[in-house]
Amino acid sequence: MLHYAETHFRFPVSRLYRREPVILIDAPFQVCPEESCPIWLIARKANLFAIYVEEIYGQWKNASGKSIPFKLPIEKQFDKKFHFEELNFEKPENSSGLWMLNIFVKYKIKGREKICERWNYPFLPPEPLIINFLKEAPPKPEGWLAGETHCHSSYTSDSVEFGAAPAVLQKAAKAVGLNFVCITDHSYDLMNEKKFQKMKADAALPLLIAGEEVSCGNSKNQNVHLLVFGNENYIEGHGDGGRRWWNTKPDLSIREAIGKHLAYAAHPKLQMLPVEKILLRRGHWSYEDLTENNICGIEFWNGFRGRDFYEGRDLWIKSLLAGHKLLPLGGNDSHGDLNDYTAVKQPLWSLKCNSEHVFGQVRTVIPNNGKIPFSEIPKNLYITDGPALWFENGKLYAKSTEDFGKFLSITIFRGCEGKPNFEKKEEMKIGDFYEFEFDFEIPLNNSLYVRAECETTCGKFAMTMAIYSSLAA
Ligand SMILES: [Zn+2]
Ligand SMILES: [Zn+2]
């Protein structure tokens, strides 16, 4: 994955190479009521290309035609490798709903005055920041915790991508309504035990759990990614880091990388560029890779519901029907990317911007058992980008808010015995009286398991883990 895009990579030639630091403005995609809205000015590699930022200016706009101009003097030299400068912003008054922020940076480089809108990425038209000021906190059951299970920090920093500082992720998490964040930087960026321990110390902030996205070898000896949360020590894995092009062989097999850890398969069916397959020896997780190793779950919802989500979910269902009790995980694989996702489209040639891997958008929600999240295998769990959907005490509960829309569908899937085993689908009857809240008695009957999915009018989605007995009493 290639995120907060890097424009200083010029081997052999790059149309994207710039003798300027990367400059960009980022802010959370949503803000909970009562929370402030942090906005950051980010500069990378200003140690090589120093800039003097004079001011930031622009305007807020919303759908009811309100427009609020602002001007913020900065008057500051930027000359470090990384800057995450929090801007002193007031959110608009009575701000609920969607707001657009057009934002400009006025800076000087080598005596020349320049202005960029949102960022200075070459050949990438500026996108405004879009921020959803929620009317209510995102719904979840009482006493449960919502978390990000796959994101990168500034400890992922190489020739093509970089992430946000742990302190930035911590503040952004609070704004978007997360209770915990697993920081999963690449093993090939963490490099060694020393750097891993430094990242752990840096991430020792409330809400943050330091982990790792380990590159390891699947059954075809291709590099696949494994998520480990809260590991004591660094786990080696440099195969597809791009720094060791003469040897892209995985250092450890999946089994060796897991060792005694609780581990989850990251993006099992990720869509990749042919160059990643050929030059970095990247591969996919197969059914055997998942079921013959000691995997606790699979993160097939990796920021958005594209082909990899559906193929990953099929793989998960196939495992469930064969009796492998794997958990579904939802994460975003964001590298910074608080508002939208900027990345390399064609290496050395073009960049892109979309909303596929935004920090905190897809969440994994688990009961709070008083321990550090994911220090044990969660007993119950659902994944969502909006509504809550969970089994408890023999019932299925669904809850949404005005921010995320009414329910369009709530569907039950039962694992059934057959030759081969199969899933049976039942649509729940939803009238429109209790539009935002439902509960249903769901007997397990003779099913192998029961699981549920729901969809809302705002295109938001949630799904539960598979429940095997007494519907999580
Ligand atoms: Zn990955
Ligand atoms: Zn990742």
Side-chain angles (χ1 to χ4, degrees):
M1 304 303 298
L2 313 165
H3 302 244
Y4 267 173
E6 167 56 52
T7 55
H8 302 111
F9 189 57
R10 58 171 170 177
F11 174 82
V13 281
S14 171
R15 193 169 83 115
L16 303 176
Y17 182 75
R18 285 296 175 275
R19 300 190 62 82
E20 278 196 26
V22 172
I23 302 170
L24 83 132
I25 308 265
D26 209 356
F29 73 101
Q30 74 181 21
V31 175
C32 291
E34 317 298 326
E35 290 295 337
S36 61
C37 175
I39 297 180
W40 285 276
L41 168 62
I42 297 160
R44 191 196 178 201
K45 295 217 171 149
N47 55 332
L48 303 179
F49 314 100
I51 52 167
Y52 185 80
V53 179
E54 292 174 0
E55 63 174 21
I56 309 261
Y57 63 93
Q59 60 180 339
W60 291 97
K61 277 186 215 162
N62 77 352
S64 50
K66 255 202 204 155
S67 170
I68 309 169
F70 66 87
K71 202 172 234 193
L72 205 66
I74 306 286
E75 305 295 350
K76 202 172 159 180
Q77 175 84 4
F78 286 65
D79 51 17
K80 294 204 269 288
K81 192 174 172 205
F82 271 120
H83 288 265
F84 294 97
E85 178 85 4
E86 191 175 339
L87 304 174
N88 198 5
F89 255 92
E90 288 290 316
K91 64 178 181 186
E93 252 174 64
N94 305 322
S95 52
S96 77
L98 277 180
W99 284 79
M100 184 166 100
L101 184 56
N102 293 100
I103 193 162
F104 297 83
V105 185
K106 195 169 156 194
Y107 62 104
K108 259 192 195 143
I109 182 159
K110 287 191 168 169
R112 272 180 56 204
E113 195 128 290
K114 287 194 150 191
I115 291 171
C116 66
E117 185 178 353
R118 179 82 199 279
W119 52 55
N120 66 342
Y121 286 133
F123 309 109
L124 188 66
E127 293 285 342
L129 289 163
I130 307 275
I131 301 172
N132 193 0
F133 291 95
L134 300 181
K135 296 185 184 80
E136 290 171 64
K140 67 180 169 64
E142 190 78 30
W144 288 43
L145 304 172
E148 165 70 89
T149 60
H150 188 165
C151 72
H152 296 265
S153 77
S154 46
Y155 283 83
T156 287
S157 171
D158 53 47
S159 52
V160 290
E161 60 180 8
F162 66 104
V168 170
L169 297 180
Q170 184 205 24
K171 276 206 168 163
K174 200 159 172 283
V176 302
L178 292 178
N179 305 102
F180 68 93
V181 175
C182 302
I183 296 184
T184 50
D185 282 312
H186 291 292
S187 52
Y188 52 72
D189 283 305
L190 291 167
M191 314 277 277
N192 53 44
E193 185 68 41
K194 200 173 147 207
K195 195 170 169 197
F196 176 69
Q197 292 303 336
K198 193 165 172 276
M199 185 271 259
K200 272 187 83 124
D202 210 9
L205 294 165
L207 321 183
L208 303 185
I209 298 161
E212 198 177 330
E213 180 173 14
V214 185
S215 294
C216 53
N218 66 10
S219 49
K220 292 183 188 154
N221 212 22
Q222 296 159 327
N223 292 293
V224 292
H225 292 173
L226 181 77
L227 297 173
V228 181
F229 309 127
N231 41 320
E232 265 322 288
N233 294 103
Y234 174 64
I235 307 166
E236 208 82 37
H238 309 278
D240 56 342
R243 288 191 182 86
R244 216 178 59 180
W245 51 266
W246 64 93
N247 177 12
T248 52
K249 278 202 190 96
D251 296 293
L252 302 173
S253 67
I254 293 171
R255 186 179 296 271
E256 287 165 339
I258 294 175
K260 291 192 171 70
H261 300 102
L262 301 178
Y264 300 80
H267 48 64
K269 295 289 176 195
L270 183 72
Q271 298 291 298
M272 16 186 180
L273 299 169
V275 29
E276 293 177 77
K277 288 188 194 165
I278 299 161
L279 294 184
L280 301 176
R281 200 201 279 244
R282 282 190 174 156
H284 287 145
W285 284 81
S286 68
Y287 176 73
E288 288 72 27
D289 292 327
L290 277 174
T291 53
E292 288 169 12
N293 293 296
N294 204 3
I295 293 285
C296 307
I298 126 175
E299 186 231 11
F300 56 83
W301 195 357
N302 189 44
F304 70 111
R305 285 184 289 150
R307 197 172 132 189
D308 58 336
F309 169 88
Y310 295 101
E311 287 182 7
R313 186 179 60 176
D314 286 348
L315 190 62
W316 175 60
I317 294 166
K318 185 176 167 187
S319 313
L320 296 180
L321 289 171
H324 301 280
K325 299 179 177 178
L326 297 177
L327 291 176
L329 285 198
N332 297 283
D333 208 353
S334 62
H335 293 56
D337 303 313
L338 306 178
N339 201 266
D340 44 23
Y341 157 73
T342 51
V344 174
K345 189 174 172 195
Q346 292 296 331
L348 312 176
W349 190 254
S350 59
L351 303 173
K352 63 182 175 184
C353 176
N354 59 42
S355 54
E356 290 178 356
H357 301 281
V358 174
F359 175 77
Q361 196 159 46
V362 177
R363 323 152 160 232
T364 300
V365 190
I366 57 172
N368 183 1
N369 64 358
K371 305 211 171 114
I372 296 170
F374 287 97
S375 56
E376 293 175 354
I377 302 172
K379 298 240 161 27
N380 202 347
L381 172 156
Y382 67 91
I383 57 182
T384 182
D385 60 6
L389 186 72
W390 75 101
F391 285 106
E392 208 171 11
N393 305 323
K395 273 185 165 179
L396 174 68
Y397 296 87
K399 195 174 173 187
S400 189
T401 61
E402 222 181 291
D403 299 305
F404 300 118
K406 294 173 184 174
F407 288 98
L408 276 180
S409 69
I410 300 173
T411 313
I412 297 287
F413 298 85
R414 288 181 182 277
C416 301
E417 263 173 298
K419 278 182 186 150
N421 292 350
F422 63 99
E423 264 194 355
K424 207 166 78 192
K425 197 171 150 180
E426 293 163 39
E427 282 285 339
M428 295 290 101
K429 281 199 176 60
I430 47 176
D432 52 14
F433 190 66
Y434 296 109
E435 299 143 327
F436 289 114
E437 259 187 274
F438 290 95
D439 61 82
F440 306 97
E441 298 276 350
I442 309 283
L444 188 61
N445 295 341
N446 297 321
S447 315
L448 297 168
Y449 63 83
V450 185
R451 62 177 195 88
E453 297 183 0
C454 71
E455 196 89 52
T456 74
T457 50
C458 296
K460 301 293 180 187
F461 178 83
M463 61 191 291
T464 69
M465 67 181 279
I467 300 289
Y468 289 86
S469 58
S470 65
L471 294 169

